[in-house]
Amino acid sequence: MTRKAFFSFHYQEDVWRVFNVRKCWAIGKDREADGFFDGSVFEASKKESDEALKAFLRDGLKNTSVTCVLAGRHTAARRWVRYEIVRSVLKGNGLLTVDIHGLRNNKQVLGVKGTNPLDEVGVYLANDKIYFAERKDGKWVKYSDYASAIPASELWFNAPTSNTVVKLSKHCLRYDFAAQNGRENIAGWIETAAALASR
């Protein structure tokens, strides 16, 4: 069966580095990538409305089983990366972070390692219901782009048992593309994330 992965990233900052990762993933049988939409399509959806962009991103996640967050310096703070992460959890996708700061951009400049985006989104229990949270200005707040409660049955990891936020990174692995030979290993990392989520 073909493994279809969704790649979440900060377009303006990291697109050159991301396409280097995409090339590695595309080499090999039974692999397809999504999330690599043209920047102009993304910007056009953004101009329509937030709801139009959300629908566009949800559509991009269809038929995928793993979401790979390609993290650069500013990725963790990006609103739409966080939305892709939350929707991935709701969909049951496996999740992983791959740091790409060790790759050069189109000016041959290396990046700066950023915060793990999966450290900035979490889940917590309130009034016997589970909700998403995100870090803003150093504090955990209820996630505003998806405020509904999450059934525990929809989580592939253990549900939170208190109002203390559990970061998604607790359940997901993080890799360094340059330092850990991502060219050879990214397919295995994605398969591990799929296995953790029973996908």
Side-chain angles (χ1 to χ4, degrees):
M1 185 177 83
T2 299
R3 170 74 63 203
K4 193 169 182 185
F6 183 91
F7 289 83
S8 179
F9 57 94
H10 178 193
Y11 191 91
Q12 292 87 347
E13 178 83 10
D14 294 317
V15 68
W16 189 271
R17 296 181 178 100
V18 165
F19 276 109
N20 281 312
V21 174
R22 182 189 188 185
K23 279 190 269 184
C24 301
W25 169 250
I27 297 169
K29 297 177 182 176
D30 303 326
R31 300 180 201 166
E32 286 183 34
D34 216 331
F36 288 103
F37 12 79
D38 183 280
S40 62
V41 176
F42 183 87
E43 291 302 322
S45 298
K46 205 159 72 171
K47 285 177 186 169
E48 280 185 53
S49 69
D50 283 358
E51 290 310 310
L53 182 53
K54 287 177 182 180
F56 173 73
L57 296 174
R58 286 194 303 271
D59 191 56
L61 280 160
K62 279 183 185 172
N63 304 315
T64 65
S65 54
V66 175
T67 297
C68 179
V69 183
L70 299 174
R73 184 177 189 176
H74 303 293
T75 311
R78 303 297 292 178
R79 176 185 179 186
W80 299 115
V81 168
R82 291 182 179 192
Y83 185 75
E84 290 163 347
I85 290 168
V86 165
R87 293 309 308 196
S88 296
V89 171
L90 292 169
K91 191 177 172 305
N93 275 18
L95 274 169
L96 70 154
T97 299
V98 177
D99 291 305
I100 57 172
H101 63 284
L103 296 173
R104 297 183 186 277
N105 65 11
N106 58 332
K107 296 176 182 172
Q108 296 303 303
V109 176
L110 291 172
V112 175
K113 188 172 183 175
T115 301
N116 184 352
L118 301 179
D119 278 344
E120 302 296 294
V121 180
V123 289
Y124 66 100
L125 187 69
N127 300 318
D128 295 321
K129 293 183 178 177
I130 302 165
Y131 297 95
F132 286 107
E134 65 178 325
R135 284 181 72 80
K136 282 194 171 179
D137 300 320
K139 295 179 183 176
W140 285 107
V141 296
K142 187 175 183 180
Y143 182 67
S144 59
D145 279 315
Y146 187 90
S148 301
I150 317 155
S153 60
E154 291 192 14
L155 299 176
W156 53 262
F157 48 83
N158 292 333
T161 56
S162 73
N163 64 359
T164 301
V165 175
V166 179
K167 299 174 184 177
L168 295 182
S169 59
K170 179 181 178 188
H171 307 287
C172 307
L173 297 172
R174 182 182 190 182
Y175 305 91
D176 184 310
F177 190 87
Q180 294 177 273
N181 192 11
R183 292 187 189 286
E184 295 293 326
N185 296 321
I186 191 166
W189 300 340
I190 286 171
E191 287 305 316
T192 298
L196 287 171
S198 300
R199 294 302 301 265

Short mmCIF file of all heavy atoms in Angstrom, two decimals, residues 2 4 23 31 53 55 64 67 81-82 99 105 115 119 138 150 157 170 186 189:
data_model
loop_
_atom_site.label_atom_id
_atom_site.label_comp_id
_atom_site.label_asym_id
_atom_site.label_seq_id
_atom_site.Cartn_x
_atom_site.Cartn_y
_atom_site.Cartn_z
N THR A 2 0.48 2.26 -0.74
CA THR A 2 1.24 3.49 -0.82
C THR A 2 1.10 4.28 0.48
O THR A 2 -0.01 4.49 0.97
CB THR A 2 0.76 4.35 -2.00
OG1 THR A 2 0.96 3.60 -3.19
CG2 THR A 2 1.51 5.65 -2.09
N LYS A 4 1.07 7.72 2.15
CA LYS A 4 0.92 9.12 1.78
C LYS A 4 1.15 9.98 3.02
O LYS A 4 0.45 9.84 4.02
CB LYS A 4 -0.46 9.38 1.19
CG LYS A 4 -0.56 10.73 0.50
CD LYS A 4 -1.85 10.84 -0.30
CE LYS A 4 -1.91 12.17 -1.02
NZ LYS A 4 -3.19 12.37 -1.72
N LYS A 23 12.41 15.75 -2.23
CA LYS A 23 13.11 14.95 -3.23
C LYS A 23 13.52 13.60 -2.65
O LYS A 23 13.42 12.57 -3.30
CB LYS A 23 14.33 15.69 -3.77
CG LYS A 23 14.02 16.71 -4.84
CD LYS A 23 15.28 17.21 -5.48
CE LYS A 23 15.77 18.43 -4.76
NZ LYS A 23 16.95 19.05 -5.35
N ARG A 31 5.47 5.71 -2.10
CA ARG A 31 5.48 6.93 -1.30
C ARG A 31 4.86 8.08 -2.09
O ARG A 31 5.18 8.30 -3.24
CB ARG A 31 6.91 7.35 -0.94
CG ARG A 31 7.68 6.33 -0.15
CD ARG A 31 9.07 6.87 0.12
NE ARG A 31 9.98 5.78 0.44
CZ ARG A 31 11.30 5.91 0.45
NH1 ARG A 31 11.86 7.07 0.14
NH2 ARG A 31 12.06 4.89 0.76
N LEU A 53 -9.38 28.79 4.12
CA LEU A 53 -8.05 28.23 4.28
C LEU A 53 -8.09 26.95 5.11
O LEU A 53 -7.42 25.97 4.79
CB LEU A 53 -7.10 29.26 4.89
CG LEU A 53 -5.65 28.81 5.07
CD1 LEU A 53 -5.07 28.28 3.75
CD2 LEU A 53 -4.80 29.95 5.58
N ALA A 55 -10.53 24.83 5.30
CA ALA A 55 -11.07 23.79 4.43
C ALA A 55 -10.01 23.30 3.45
O ALA A 55 -9.89 22.10 3.18
CB ALA A 55 -12.30 24.32 3.68
N THR A 64 -4.13 10.91 3.92
CA THR A 64 -2.77 10.80 4.46
C THR A 64 -2.84 10.05 5.79
O THR A 64 -3.88 10.02 6.44
CB THR A 64 -2.11 12.18 4.68
OG1 THR A 64 -2.83 12.90 5.69
CG2 THR A 64 -2.09 13.00 3.39
N THR A 67 1.69 12.89 9.44
CA THR A 67 2.02 14.29 9.21
C THR A 67 3.43 14.53 9.73
O THR A 67 3.73 14.28 10.90
CB THR A 67 1.03 15.23 9.92
OG1 THR A 67 -0.26 15.02 9.35
CG2 THR A 67 1.43 16.69 9.76
N VAL A 81 0.53 26.10 10.65
CA VAL A 81 1.23 24.86 11.00
C VAL A 81 0.54 24.23 12.22
O VAL A 81 0.28 23.02 12.25
CB VAL A 81 2.73 25.11 11.27
CG1 VAL A 81 3.38 23.89 11.92
CG2 VAL A 81 3.45 25.48 9.98
N ARG A 82 0.21 25.05 13.20
CA ARG A 82 -0.49 24.54 14.38
C ARG A 82 -1.85 23.94 14.00
O ARG A 82 -2.26 22.91 14.53
CB ARG A 82 -0.66 25.65 15.42
CG ARG A 82 0.65 26.06 16.06
CD ARG A 82 0.46 27.11 17.12
NE ARG A 82 1.76 27.45 17.72
CZ ARG A 82 1.90 28.17 18.83
NH1 ARG A 82 0.85 28.63 19.46
NH2 ARG A 82 3.11 28.42 19.29
N ASP A 99 13.74 18.39 12.05
CA ASP A 99 14.41 19.69 11.99
C ASP A 99 15.17 19.81 10.68
O ASP A 99 15.91 18.89 10.30
CB ASP A 99 15.38 19.85 13.17
CG ASP A 99 14.64 19.98 14.50
OD1 ASP A 99 13.79 20.88 14.60
OD2 ASP A 99 14.91 19.19 15.41
N ASN A 105 19.50 27.07 2.26
CA ASN A 105 18.42 27.63 1.44
C ASN A 105 18.96 27.98 0.05
O ASN A 105 20.09 27.62 -0.29
CB ASN A 105 17.78 28.84 2.14
CG ASN A 105 18.73 30.02 2.30
OD1 ASN A 105 19.83 30.05 1.73
ND2 ASN A 105 18.32 31.00 3.07
N THR A 115 12.23 25.90 17.88
CA THR A 115 11.48 25.12 18.87
C THR A 115 10.72 24.00 18.17
O THR A 115 10.27 24.18 17.04
CB THR A 115 10.48 26.06 19.58
OG1 THR A 115 11.20 27.12 20.19
CG2 THR A 115 9.66 25.33 20.64
N ASP A 119 5.97 20.84 20.72
CA ASP A 119 6.07 21.33 22.10
C ASP A 119 5.09 22.46 22.36
O ASP A 119 4.85 22.83 23.51
CB ASP A 119 7.48 21.87 22.39
CG ASP A 119 8.48 20.79 22.73
OD1 ASP A 119 8.07 19.65 23.04
OD2 ASP A 119 9.69 21.09 22.67
N GLY A 138 4.41 32.49 26.02
CA GLY A 138 4.96 31.71 27.12
C GLY A 138 3.93 31.05 28.02
O GLY A 138 4.29 30.43 29.02
N ILE A 150 -12.62 17.02 22.41
CA ILE A 150 -12.13 15.90 21.61
C ILE A 150 -12.51 14.61 22.33
O ILE A 150 -12.13 14.42 23.49
CB ILE A 150 -10.59 15.92 21.50
CG1 ILE A 150 -10.07 17.32 21.24
CG2 ILE A 150 -10.09 14.94 20.48
CD1 ILE A 150 -8.64 17.51 21.70
N PHE A 157 -3.02 8.26 21.37
CA PHE A 157 -2.15 8.23 22.56
C PHE A 157 -3.04 8.35 23.80
O PHE A 157 -4.24 8.59 23.70
CB PHE A 157 -1.12 9.36 22.51
CG PHE A 157 -1.70 10.71 22.16
CD1 PHE A 157 -2.28 11.53 23.12
CD2 PHE A 157 -1.65 11.19 20.85
CE1 PHE A 157 -2.81 12.76 22.80
CE2 PHE A 157 -2.17 12.42 20.52
CZ PHE A 157 -2.76 13.22 21.50
N LYS A 170 5.31 14.72 23.66
CA LYS A 170 5.50 13.60 24.60
C LYS A 170 5.23 12.27 23.90
O LYS A 170 5.78 11.24 24.29
CB LYS A 170 4.57 13.77 25.80
CG LYS A 170 4.68 12.63 26.79
CD LYS A 170 3.75 12.77 27.95
CE LYS A 170 3.90 11.55 28.86
NZ LYS A 170 2.91 11.52 29.93
N ILE A 186 14.54 9.17 6.33
CA ILE A 186 13.22 9.79 6.55
C ILE A 186 12.07 8.81 6.31
O ILE A 186 11.07 8.84 7.03
CB ILE A 186 13.04 11.08 5.71
CG1 ILE A 186 11.78 11.81 6.18
CG2 ILE A 186 13.03 10.79 4.21
CD1 ILE A 186 11.65 13.22 5.69
N TRP A 189 11.63 6.96 9.48
CA TRP A 189 11.05 7.82 10.53
C TRP A 189 9.54 7.94 10.34
O TRP A 189 8.78 7.88 11.31
CB TRP A 189 11.68 9.21 10.50
CG TRP A 189 13.16 9.23 10.72
CD1 TRP A 189 13.94 8.27 11.29
CD2 TRP A 189 14.05 10.30 10.36
NE1 TRP A 189 15.25 8.66 11.31
CE2 TRP A 189 15.35 9.91 10.75
CE3 TRP A 189 13.88 11.53 9.74
CZ2 TRP A 189 16.47 10.72 10.55
CZ3 TRP A 189 14.99 12.35 9.54
CH2 TRP A 189 16.27 11.95 9.95
#
